Amino acid sequence: MPKDRMERDNPGGPLLSMVIPVYEEQDNLPELYRRLCVVTNELLCDVEFVFINDGSRDRTPEILEEFARTDPRLRLVSLSRNFGHQAAVTAGLEAAHGQAIVVLDGDLQDPPEVIPQLLERWREGFDVVYAVRTKRKENIFKRAGYFLFYRVLKLISDTPMPLDTGDFCLMDRRVVDVMNAMPERARFVRGLRAYAGFRQIGLTYERDARYAGVPKYTFRRLVALALEGVVNFSTVPLRAVGWLAMVLLMLAVLAATVEVGLVMAGVSVAAVWLITTLLVFLGGLQIGAIAVVGEYVAKIFAEVKQRPTYILEEEAVASRVASRLTSSV
């Protein structure tokens, strides 16, 4: 990819969009905005800040409005209530105009100083540059939970998932267009990013501690996010039911064979073992029936999400060029 990608891909609109979902981050916003300005002023390119206020009830909206009055680069998207982090990121991706879009959290755990490195890899020709966390400055229980979640998700996911990556990343316009075109409502953004494909690469960084305030991702929300990722990108839980049914049926058949052999050999078999074998066999049949229904439910779920069966890189490029020609007319 030629080094002039920035110039070639900028038909007059903002080159770089910063998508930043915030929820009650009044204590972090001044420092976040200051550091964003320092970093972007050194990039020598057009920039827009897309802040998504996810139903904050503190001074977050007022602070962002104050910034917007003096900085025309800042755009504020306010949601009517708290819809959650993934919904806020989705709103920001749909509102962003840039040819490259950076997603980062508003608590300064995603350091803005990493953005120039993300942008450099994009200029080298990568369509997605996702940040890989090498160290977390959080308690041991959270670190262990995240560590386990990402490895379980990678193991069971139908879509290849990179380890230790969150929403902090840079994406090319065509990747964002593909993700925005997916109509599913229960969105796991980092999963959709992986599903979209294109040229992707990881960039390691050390995740900072929260600058101020308390984490908004409670244990309940973290569990809900984990379930969202598993349910939306893996059929293993459904198929595990089928495997369980097969194991039970095989055990029941094996036990029945042994019992019949004992009876034929003249050895009496206690009634409790015969009843247990029958119950295991019937339980296996019932679970097997549920597994069959589950397979059909999985197919229905896949159809309802309406994800594209495949994505053509050439078609995405042609669509992007056509949209630019239309916007320039």
Side-chain angles (χ1 to χ4, degrees):
M1 181 66 65
K3 282 287 187 178
D4 63 346
R5 180 173 185 172
M6 294 173 66
E7 292 77 15
R8 181 171 55 82
D9 282 357
N10 185 12
L15 167 67
L16 182 63
S17 294
M18 308 284 184
V19 171
I20 310 164
V22 291
Y23 176 60
E24 298 185 355
E25 297 289 1
Q26 61 180 15
D27 297 326
N28 288 313
L29 285 177
E31 178 65 12
L32 172 63
Y33 179 65
R34 184 193 68 80
R35 287 170 62 177
L36 283 172
C37 289
V38 170
V39 170
T40 55
N41 287 342
E42 297 175 355
L43 293 179
L44 302 178
C45 64
D46 294 334
V47 175
E48 70 169 359
F49 302 128
V50 183
F51 281 90
I52 303 89
N53 169 34
D54 190 17
S56 301
R57 295 164 296 181
D58 61 358
R59 292 194 63 252
T60 293
E62 290 80 1
I63 294 173
L64 291 174
E65 288 170 2
E66 291 174 8
F67 292 157
R69 278 194 288 269
T70 58
D71 189 345
R73 301 174 301 172
L74 192 147
R75 298 171 54 212
L76 176 58
V77 178
S78 290
L79 307 186
S80 61
R81 64 171 176 82
N82 179 243
F83 284 88
H85 184 266
Q86 298 297 288
V89 172
T90 299
L93 293 178
E94 293 178 350
H97 296 148
Q99 298 305 316
I101 296 91
V102 171
V103 179
L104 72 159
D105 288 340
D107 56 9
L108 285 171
Q109 287 189 284
D110 300 332
E113 291 75 17
V114 177
I115 291 173
Q117 300 174 54
L118 299 175
L119 188 61
E120 183 60 30
R121 302 315 300 269
W122 176 75
R123 293 183 66 184
E124 293 173 4
F126 292 98
D127 298 296
V128 175
V129 188
Y130 51 83
V132 181
R133 301 153 178 169
T134 58
K135 184 183 293 186
R136 286 178 175 273
K137 298 178 181 178
E138 294 166 314
N139 65 65
I140 187 171
F141 298 105
K142 269 195 173 183
R143 293 201 304 270
Y146 281 119
F147 180 87
L148 181 63
F149 164 68
Y150 283 115
R151 278 144 189 84
V152 170
L153 183 61
K154 181 178 177 64
L155 179 66
I156 69 175
S157 175
D158 302 325
T159 301
M161 296 280 185
L163 290 174
D164 302 317
T165 61
D167 295 323
F168 186 26
C169 69
L170 181 147
M171 294 179 285
D172 187 75
R173 175 83 258 166
R174 56 179 170 173
V175 179
V176 173
D177 287 343
V178 166
M179 292 173 59
N180 288 342
M182 296 182 188
E184 63 188 89
R185 296 185 180 182
R187 300 177 77 84
F188 185 63
V189 173
R190 66 200 72 171
L192 294 177
R193 183 182 69 203
Y195 183 85
F198 298 98
R199 294 191 65 196
Q200 304 201 11
I201 191 171
L203 178 71
T204 58
Y205 80 110
E206 184 173 323
R207 186 167 172 81
D208 290 337
R210 166 176 273 274
Y211 180 76
V214 297
K216 304 307 186 296
Y217 254 125
T218 62
F219 178 76
R220 181 179 62 84
R221 290 193 174 191
L222 287 172
V223 171
L225 180 64
L227 289 176
E228 201 72 66
V230 171
V231 170
N232 277 285
F233 290 91
S234 177
T235 56
V236 169
L238 275 177
R239 287 177 177 158
V241 176
W243 299 337
L244 176 60
M246 292 177 61
V247 170
L248 290 177
L249 288 172
M250 290 174 63
L251 287 175
V253 170
L254 179 61
T257 302
V258 172
E259 290 164 0
V260 170
L262 291 174
V263 171
M264 292 180 66
V267 179
S268 63
V269 179
V272 64
W273 291 111
L274 297 174
I275 295 173
T276 300
T277 301
L278 179 61
L279 290 176
V280 171
F281 180 75
L282 292 176
L285 286 179
Q286 290 176 330
I287 295 175
I290 294 173
V292 171
V293 174
E295 285 294 326
Y296 283 99
V297 170
K299 299 297 182 185
I300 294 171
F301 186 45
E303 293 295 331
V304 169
K305 287 185 292 188
Q306 297 183 31
R307 287 181 195 160
T309 306
Y310 56 85
I311 299 168
L312 293 177
E313 184 174 6
E314 293 79 6
E315 184 176 71
V317 173
S319 174
R320 183 175 55 163
V321 171
S323 66
R324 290 178 188 161
L325 292 175
T326 302
S327 62
S328 63
V329 174

